[in-house]
Amino acid sequence: MKTKEGKEWLKSVYEIGTKKINYSREKNCLLEQNIEGLIGLRVKENFVPIVIDGDLEGVTGYDKEDFLSGKIKWVEIIKPEDRLLACESLKKAMYESDISTEIEYRILRKDGETRWVLQIFQKLPADSRSQGCVQSLIRDITKRKTSDFTLKKTYEARMKEIHHRTKNNLQVISSLLSLEADRSTDAKMLEAFRESQNRITSMALIHEELYKGNKVNNLDFADYLQKLTNNLFHSYRLRNEEISLKLELEKIYLDMNTAIPLGIIVNELISNALKYAFPAQKGGKIHVSLHTTEKCEKNT
């Protein structure tokens, strides 16, 4: 309905009300042409229709008389979880706004099938015959929603495959470093290999979590930190087994571009703490805390 054709159609329906043209006599009204997937209506509060026409049976499975007689109420065919949004949008268009309001929601057809519709509300002017009513256009957008869902699933499958391959490539690099480390007896060289492996592991874990998780672009950073810190403690376990780890993590989701550099920073901080923060043969505790900005400000 954001297209030029859609706006012109809505304008023609709006003008019918403002010019006080009898709806039944308007032979050129596009609603009466029964355009597939389109419904036009003029409603009072709670979606009570004054005028309703268009492809009602095609979209809802009910005919015009079902709605005009009150046998079927439009608000009742809106899915319960979307009903509040639709009613609030109608109220806003009727009492609060002089501009059009556009929403998308689901309805249940007579046969039980769920359909997606786009509805545009426009309040009629104060000098019109139907003052206090709202002119509305409804369009069936189920096909578009289905296509969007299919494209989203295809995108997610491709992204998961990319994360899976990236994780595997990083693990191969880590294994190669491990093979090279086995050929060396130099302590500094072995430490360099271990540090490199830990950095690679911190990145591989992110791709692994994105591959396994429900979100392909956002990472549960709290869960990631738990696995990263456990991996680091396992890597440095022979240095001092008396060092304990305390995790205080709040659920925070980060995108990959933010999570990777933060993961590397955490890797460096904990690695350095495990190597240098505790004297030999003495224990201690490393405390890792993750909170939102608001909570950090309150704590400060």
Side-chain angles (χ1 to χ4, degrees), residues 136-294:
S136 182
L137 170 68
I138 295 173
R139 183 182 183 92
D140 188 336
I141 58 170
T142 305
K143 290 182 180 179
R144 192 253 291 173
K145 280 288 186 179
T146 302
S147 298
D148 289 347
F149 179 78
T150 301
L151 287 173
K152 181 181 178 182
K153 287 297 180 183
T154 302
Y155 169 76
E156 290 177 351
R158 289 177 178 174
M159 289 302 299
K160 282 183 177 291
E161 179 64 21
I162 290 172
H163 290 312
H164 184 57
R165 292 187 180 187
T166 303
K167 182 262 298 183
N168 288 343
N169 289 337
L170 290 170
Q171 287 181 335
V172 168
I173 295 173
S174 180
S175 297
L176 291 174
L177 289 173
S178 180
L179 290 173
E180 288 297 317
D182 290 341
R183 298 169 57 182
S184 177
T185 57
D186 184 271
K188 290 185 177 180
M189 186 66 69
L190 290 173
E191 186 66 27
F193 277 126
R194 176 161 59 178
E195 289 178 354
S196 297
Q197 282 182 287
N198 286 337
R199 293 183 185 118
I200 291 171
T201 299
S202 71
M203 291 185 286
L205 275 175
I206 288 176
H207 289 283
E208 183 177 12
E209 291 301 302
L210 289 172
Y211 168 69
K212 291 180 178 179
N214 296 324
K215 300 181 179 181
V216 295
N217 292 321
N218 290 317
L219 174 76
D220 182 347
F221 202 67
D223 188 54
Y224 164 75
L225 282 183
Q226 187 170 18
K227 293 180 179 179
L228 176 63
T229 53
N230 287 335
N231 178 76
L232 289 171
F233 266 70
H234 176 75
S235 176
Y236 288 94
R237 68 187 185 282
L238 298 179
R239 187 177 295 275
N240 192 336
E241 295 183 356
E242 299 301 320
I243 302 173
S244 62
L245 174 66
K246 179 182 178 181
L247 297 175
E248 187 179 340
L249 308 176
E250 182 180 343
K251 284 283 184 182
I252 297 176
Y253 289 89
L254 301 175
D255 61 78
M256 187 175 65
N257 292 332
T258 304
I260 287 179
L262 283 181
I264 293 175
I265 291 172
V266 172
N267 176 83
E268 298 301 310
L269 289 173
I270 295 180
S271 296
N272 286 336
L274 289 169
K275 289 189 294 183
Y276 307 119
F278 305 97
Q281 307 304 320
K282 290 187 178 181
K285 179 186 293 184
I286 295 178
H287 183 193
V288 179
S289 179
L290 176 67
H291 297 294
T292 59
T293 304
E294 292 81 2

Side-chain angles (χ1 to χ4, degrees), residues 47 74-75 78-93 101 103-107 117 119 121:
F47 288 92
W74 184 271
V75 71
I78 301 174
K79 293 204 73 172
E81 51 267 45
D82 296 343
R83 198 169 293 163
L84 180 61
L85 169 65
C87 291
E88 287 182 345
S89 297
L90 175 62
K91 181 179 178 181
K92 180 179 179 182
T101 303
I103 61 168
E104 296 178 0
Y105 59 86
R106 292 162 294 174
I107 63 170
V117 298
Q119 184 163 11
F121 300 98

